Amino acid sequence: MAKVKIDCLKKIRALSDESRLKIMYLLMQEPACVNTLSKRVKLKQYNISKHLKILENAQLVSQKKEGQKRVYFLPENLVRQINKDKNKLVLGCCTFDFARLKL
């Protein structure tokens, strides 16, 4: 039981930043590289990379290398937790509603 709480806390902390929420929402729609996320979120690539590392450490994001770039995506277990409209993420301990998030 304590393990579940710790995992939830890591995820909630990782999603406590508006920029990371925006990144998550975009990745809920489709996989993307740092450059694409940088343009959409309007942050420097360096900052996007830092946010992605935090999300990755919380096991909210995975990556794969495609040529020279890394493509970020949601792990399969999270994809199953997204509603059909792709605007809510249900973590079990809580639900994140991205419907009113401004990009």
Side-chain angles (χ1 to χ4, degrees):
M1 188 73 148
K3 174 95 169 115
V4 172
K5 289 181 183 178
I6 290 171
D7 286 347
C8 281
L9 284 174
K10 285 180 182 179
K11 288 174 175 50
I12 291 168
R13 283 185 189 132
L15 293 171
S16 67
D17 181 90
E18 186 176 357
S19 295
R20 289 192 289 271
L21 284 173
K22 289 177 181 180
I23 291 168
M24 280 297 293
Y25 176 73
L26 292 170
L27 293 176
M28 286 168 61
Q29 311 311 307
E30 62 185 352
C33 65
V34 172
N35 188 37
T36 300
L37 293 169
S38 176
K39 289 175 185 173
R40 298 282 312 274
V41 180
K42 297 179 177 82
L43 286 176
K44 293 182 180 184
Q45 290 181 9
Y46 173 79
N47 291 328
I48 293 291
S49 293
K50 283 176 41 179
H51 287 305
L52 284 166
K53 192 62 161 167
I54 291 168
L55 292 169
E56 197 171 16
N57 287 339
Q59 298 176 337
L60 291 167
V61 170
S62 294
Q63 63 170 294
K64 62 183 172 186
K65 192 165 183 171
E66 289 185 2
Q68 294 285 357
K69 58 185 168 184
R70 296 186 186 278
V71 176
Y72 291 85
F73 59 96
L74 300 185
E76 189 59 38
N77 65 321
L78 281 186
V79 171
R80 290 190 299 269
Q81 294 173 264
I82 299 171
N83 73 337
K84 65 179 179 159
D85 296 328
K86 294 189 175 184
N87 61 4
K88 285 186 184 174
L89 175 62
V90 180
L91 294 178
C93 59
C94 54
T95 299
F96 286 85
D97 187 346
F98 296 88
R100 290 187 260 161
L101 187 65
K102 304 270 193 240
L103 285 177

